[in-house]
Amino acid sequence: MALYRVLAVKHGADGRAFAAVDGGMSDNPRPALYGSTYHVRPVGRPATAPTARFDVVGRHCEAGDVLVRDAELPADLRPGDLLAVPAAGAYQVSMASAYNLVGRPAVAAVRDGRIRLLIRRETVEDFRAREVGR
């Protein structure tokens, strides 16, 4: 499962709504590369509002950086909300990259209500450590 935090919500004049999340084509390039489709659902707070259609988009400012099109999500979706993609794909982690210098996400295992970090999130310091110039 992939877990994303909503960074911004935008409602266009044409009636389209967008939810920008803290990931995108850097952590899951499959929708952009292959047209893979996913379902998304809100987690962490009760969904009491009626639903609306949103395109869930990544943070990379690329036309193809769309994770889920026409997702049925609460109309009152707001920054800070969490969205889960329950079946993110077997190759999501192995295909992840540092596109636009966005660090790769953490990987965790959850069992019996406990979480164990398997791979930590990549940080800006990780990028700096690779630099060899002055």
Side-chain angles (χ1 to χ4, degrees), residues 51-116:
T51 61
R53 291 196 177 276
F54 287 85
D55 285 350
V56 179
V57 300
R59 62 187 286 180
H60 300 289
C61 298
E62 300 284 354
D65 193 11
V66 179
L67 291 168
V68 181
R69 292 193 189 278
D70 293 322
E72 289 279 336
L73 294 169
D76 66 348
L77 192 69
R78 58 187 179 256
D81 283 347
L82 296 177
L83 300 177
V85 178
Y91 298 103
Q92 182 174 358
V93 172
S94 64
M95 292 179 75
S97 71
Y99 184 79
N100 278 358
L101 289 179
V102 172
R104 290 173 286 195
V107 176
V110 179
R111 182 175 179 186
D112 298 327
R114 293 192 316 242
I115 188 168
R116 188 177 85 193

Side-chain angles (χ1 to χ4, degrees), residues 10 29 44 94 120 128:
K10 179 181 176 183
S94 64
R120 69 173 172 77
R128 287 186 184 137

Side-chain angles (χ1 to χ4, degrees), residues 4 13 19 24 30 34 36-37 39 55 57 59 62 97 106-108 121 128 131:
Y4 296 101
R30 296 185 78 238
Y34 313 126
S36 298
T37 58
H39 297 283
D55 285 350
V57 300
R59 62 187 286 180
E62 300 284 354
S97 71
V107 176
R121 177 183 299 271
R128 287 186 184 137
E131 292 180 8

